[in-house]
Amino acid sequence: MLNVLFEHALKKKVLKENSLPKGKGANTTATKTSSAVDKRSLLNSDQAAKLLGWIYARPRGGRRLHTFFAAMYYAGARPEEVVAIDVGDVRLPDVEADDQWGELLLHTAHPEVGKQWTDTGEVREQRGLKGRAAGDTRTVPCRPALTRLLRAHIEEEGLKPGDLLLQGEKGGGLAGSVIRRAWRRARKEVLTSYEFGTPLGRRVYDLRHTCLTNWLNAGVPPATVAEWAGNSVPVLLSTYARCVDGQLPDLKRRIEQAGELPDPAAATG
């Protein structure tokens, strides 16, 4: 910004030269930052089960919050996308169907921006999906475990198409402060003192990171994961490449199958 100001001053002939330092010797290089996910923040299935189980047992709003966290863990959606899901966009199979995979149709996000920044005075603002054109949609698979949870939630809450899937205690959207407070309390109650002090599941967003990592480790093609997650493939790979694990033995076998060079000692003998 200062450089732009100096350049403007040059054009207006207020200054004769730009006196800001130039070149590689100048101390103008910003500290490098990494967008890659910290593997220490990812939850294993046992840790996730204990955290979500504790939230489910909460006497006040536990089941509703459990559904929210489960949707992030199983479907990998962003928090602002989960709170914006309409019941009509939850496509679940018939309860008697053999295939219990469903779909979540995402097309809206409700990020928190503060009351002073919205026309309605609400904390959340209605927007389109991140990185997508206005009105664009994204379909995310709903695995059988999540299908059962969502079906039970819709029935218990008496929800119908047009209603928000996840609502606050007094109706309306689920507040971010409630979500974050419940997650912090769950970590404190469930994790060991050592784990609590580490990045393990420190942010609610780490549930999404865990889901996307699980998909990649299960062998789902990166292009497919990127489509489900609402990312580009380059962003997906740069973010999660360090977290992909469990495929090394198979990769080693494939490399060996390409063959070896002949033993020079045997060839000359």
Side-chain angles (χ1 to χ4, degrees):
M1 292 177 64
L2 188 57
N3 184 67
V4 171
L5 178 62
F6 273 58
E7 292 297 328
H8 180 70
L10 285 171
K11 291 181 180 179
K12 295 296 183 179
K13 298 183 178 180
V14 176
L15 297 176
K16 292 184 179 180
E17 62 179 9
N18 187 336
S19 59
L20 288 179
K22 299 180 179 65
K24 295 182 179 180
N27 186 23
T28 58
T29 304
T31 303
K32 292 184 178 181
T33 59
S34 174
S35 61
V37 170
D38 187 343
K39 291 184 69 171
R40 298 174 299 167
S41 68
L42 302 178
L43 299 159
N44 62 38
S45 58
D46 182 60
Q47 292 163 341
K50 289 179 179 178
L51 287 165
L52 268 64
W54 186 92
I55 289 169
Y56 183 86
R58 277 170 54 104
R60 185 173 176 179
R63 294 192 179 187
R64 187 181 301 113
L65 287 166
H66 175 267
T67 303
F68 168 84
F69 292 123
M72 286 196 64
Y73 178 78
Y74 283 130
R78 299 178 176 92
E80 63 268 25
E81 295 170 343
V82 177
V83 298
I85 295 175
D86 186 289
V87 174
D89 295 323
V90 180
R91 313 292 174 82
L92 303 180
D94 186 80
V95 68
E96 301 296 335
D98 293 332
D99 185 356
Q100 285 297 303
W101 280 84
E103 289 183 341
L104 301 179
L105 184 62
L106 306 180
H107 55 82
T108 309
H110 292 171
E112 287 186 313
V113 295
K115 294 181 179 181
Q116 69 272 31
W117 304 111
T118 61
D119 295 331
T120 61
E122 299 291 333
V123 175
R124 294 188 181 275
E125 181 179 54
Q126 182 171 326
R127 297 180 183 174
L129 299 179
K130 182 178 180 180
R132 299 266 177 154
D136 202 358
T137 62
R138 187 171 93 245
T139 301
V140 182
C142 179
R143 60 188 297 168
L146 183 57
T147 292
R148 292 191 294 271
L149 287 173
L150 296 184
R151 183 183 290 121
H153 172 77
I154 292 171
E155 292 177 356
E156 290 175 5
E157 298 287 327
L159 302 176
K160 59 185 182 302
D163 295 336
L164 281 177
L165 175 67
L166 295 161
Q167 302 180 16
E169 190 173 314
K170 299 180 180 179
L174 190 58
S177 58
V178 174
I179 294 168
R180 291 187 293 273
R181 186 163 56 247
W183 187 250
R184 285 196 298 267
R185 183 66 185 277
R187 288 186 76 248
K188 187 174 182 179
E189 295 294 332
V190 172
L191 302 181
T192 66
S193 58
Y194 170 77
E195 290 172 335
F196 183 78
T198 69
L200 178 65
R202 183 174 292 167
R203 302 183 306 157
V204 173
Y205 209 90
D206 290 327
L207 287 167
R208 168 177 161 87
H209 289 324
T210 297
C211 176
L212 271 56
T213 299
N214 288 342
W215 284 344
L216 290 169
N217 286 337
V220 180
T224 302
V225 174
E227 173 62 25
W228 292 348
N231 284 338
S232 66
V233 174
V235 168
L236 180 84
L237 294 178
S238 65
T239 304
Y240 298 98
R242 298 178 184 176
C243 301
V244 178
D245 196 8
Q247 301 177 27
L248 186 57
D250 180 58
L251 295 176
K252 287 179 178 178
R253 286 193 295 271
R254 293 187 184 187
I255 293 173
E256 288 182 346
Q257 287 174 0
E260 311 286 349
L261 292 175
D263 185 348
T268 57

